[in-house]
Amino acid sequence: MMVNVHAVNFNVDGKLVSFIRERVDKLDKYYDKVVSSDVFLKVEKTSEKENKVAELKILVPGDEFIVKKQCKTFEEAVEQCSESVERLLLKRKEKIRAYI
């Protein structure tokens, strides 16, 4: 699967990119037909501590899943996004199995 990491208005650290790729690659366990994924990292200009936003976009044949989470760190936001996408992929897999 191809994983693209996009940082909006800042430079992203290499360790963060490798963490994101490693975490998103684990999604192949839940649904093996994932074509590509895009991760968008943004910093919101607010006074709150939870100003890091991660948006995960997963492309599967015939559908596209987009999950957006806001947390204190990018790692936590990516982790929550991937957990949400895991549930979505499992639901899709079960739905496809019902038709077979």
Side-chain angles (χ1 to χ4, degrees), residues 54-67:
E55 186 174 328
L56 181 57
K57 181 175 155 185
I58 301 288
L59 207 65
V60 296
D63 212 352
E64 179 179 80
F65 300 112
I66 299 174
V67 177

Side-chain angles (χ1 to χ4, degrees), residues 24 27 37-39 54-58 65-67 81-82 85:
V24 173
L27 295 175
S37 62
D38 292 310
V39 180
E55 186 174 328
L56 181 57
K57 181 175 155 185
I58 301 288
F65 300 112
I66 299 174
V67 177
C81 283
S82 63
V85 169

Side-chain angles (χ1 to χ4, degrees), residues 61-79:
D63 212 352
E64 179 179 80
F65 300 112
I66 299 174
V67 177
K68 185 176 183 179
K69 298 289 181 184
Q70 185 169 346
C71 295
K72 290 181 182 178
T73 65
F74 285 121
E75 289 86 354
E76 185 180 356
V78 169
E79 190 74 29

Side-chain angles (χ1 to χ4, degrees), residues 27-28 30-36 59-61 89 92 96:
L27 295 175
D28 277 339
Y30 302 99
Y31 192 73
D32 59 348
K33 294 179 176 70
V34 176
V35 177
S36 69
L59 207 65
V60 296
L89 292 174
R92 178 169 174 82
I96 289 175

Side-chain angles (χ1 to χ4, degrees), residues 95-100:
K95 188 188 262 188
I96 289 175
R97 279 191 189 158
Y99 290 119
I100 295 177

